[in-house]
Amino acid sequence: DAGVIQSPRHEVTEMGQEVTLRCKPISGHNSLFWYRQTMMRGLELLIYFNNNVPIDDSGMPEDRFSAKMPNASFSTLKIQPSEPRDSAVYFCASTFREGRGFFGPGTRLTVL
Amino acid sequence: LAKTTQPISMDSYEGQEVNITCSHNNIATNDYITWYQQFPSQGPRFIIQGYKTKVTNEVASLFIPADRKSSTLSLPRVSLSDTAVYYCLVGDWTSGTYKYIFGTGTRLKVLA
């Protein structure tokens, strides 16, 4: 198994541009999580899905952030428009029920 | 939602046993305790998970007292490569999946 796959690994964009981060969870996992990590705020849970349905998006910072999971094997996190304060590492993780969570390698986003 | 408290940092020497204690006074009956390890520029990696008493795997042991208000991660004979941030999580079972909330973690530094 390839593990959780995230793309791109690095993204540099200018303020105001739209950014789309992608995640492919491990096959068979039924829960998917999006996290953001910064030095100041640590690891923050943004949103998570169970069986492709968003369960809790209370961690999404603003309306500029949106996430979708159209099927069990794909999810996106979109930021539109992006701002410099969105610069962070974004992680995707997947789990099966109460089992161990597997994290992807992350996407390092830099907004200039 | 159970909140966890851990020491911010710890130093140890190679070959020693390291014990990191986490406090979770408001743990709920159905909550599991999970520990993750994170190296710089990588996603968190699952170490161990338990509900009560003691759990052991190939890399660590987890000790949980009867009241479950705390837990201790034990790393036997640490090496330089164990230098990382260690997170204690208490699983919040919501809508059929766990909502993993990360605290500040414990930064372990292993010295030669």
Side-chain angles (χ1 to χ4, degrees):
Chain A
D1 196 325
V4 175
I5 300 173
Q6 290 186 247
S7 64
R9 293 293 309 277
H10 302 272
E11 176 82 22
V12 180
T13 190
E14 293 188 345
M15 183 174 61
Q17 296 297 307
E18 177 180 293
V19 174
T20 299
L21 311 181
R22 298 173 176 78
C23 176
K24 176 179 170 55
I26 292 174
S27 177
H29 283 190
N30 65 337
S31 295
L32 183 140
F33 303 76
W34 281 101
Y35 288 88
R36 176 173 70 175
Q37 186 170 36
T38 62
M39 288 293 292
M40 291 295 294
R41 301 176 67 90
L43 268 163
E44 302 174 275
L45 176 62
L46 301 177
I47 185 171
Y48 70 100
F49 297 82
N50 189 37
N51 294 323
N52 312 337
V53 176
I55 302 300
D56 186 344
D57 65 354
S58 60
M60 298 285 261
E62 302 172 29
D63 291 344
R64 297 184 296 107
F65 286 69
S66 63
K68 294 182 180 179
M69 192 165 186
N71 56 62
S73 60
F74 184 66
S75 176
T76 60
L77 177 68
K78 184 177 294 186
I79 308 173
Q80 166 63 20
S82 58
E83 297 182 3
R85 60 192 167 126
D86 301 331
S87 297
V89 180
Y90 291 81
F91 289 105
C92 174
S94 70
T95 71
F96 177 67
R97 294 185 178 176
E98 70 275 18
R100 54 198 287 182
F102 290 82
F103 280 74
T107 295
R108 182 173 296 277
L109 173 65
T110 302
V111 183
L112 303 175
Chain B
L1 186 63
K3 181 179 178 180
T4 60
T5 303
Q6 311 173 225
I8 293 175
S9 64
M10 296 179 68
D11 288 347
S12 181
Y13 288 95
E14 280 189 294
Q16 290 188 332
E17 177 184 80
V18 171
N19 296 309
I20 306 174
T21 297
C22 177
S23 172
H24 28 80
N25 291 319
N26 297 323
I27 190 169
T29 302
N30 293 331
D31 285 346
Y32 278 71
I33 299 156
T34 309
W35 285 81
Y36 279 82
Q37 174 192 56
Q38 187 179 26
F39 297 112
S41 301
Q42 295 185 25
R45 185 172 70 108
F46 174 91
I47 300 175
I48 197 166
Q49 183 180 70
Y51 182 79
K52 61 180 180 180
T53 62
K54 177 184 176 182
V55 180
T56 298
N57 62 22
E58 62 277 8
V59 298
S61 294
L62 178 59
F63 298 91
I64 305 169
D67 66 6
R68 305 201 326 123
K69 293 184 182 300
S70 66
S71 60
T72 299
L73 174 73
S74 181
L75 304 172
R77 298 180 299 282
V78 295
S79 63
L80 295 176
S81 62
D82 293 317
T83 294
V85 179
Y86 292 82
Y87 295 95
C88 165
L89 283 72
V90 175
D92 174 29
W93 184 261
T94 304
S95 301
T97 190
Y98 279 110
K99 180 178 178 178
Y100 284 108
I101 303 296
F102 284 79
T104 55
T106 298
R107 190 171 298 273
L108 172 66
K109 185 174 182 181
V110 180
L111 307 170

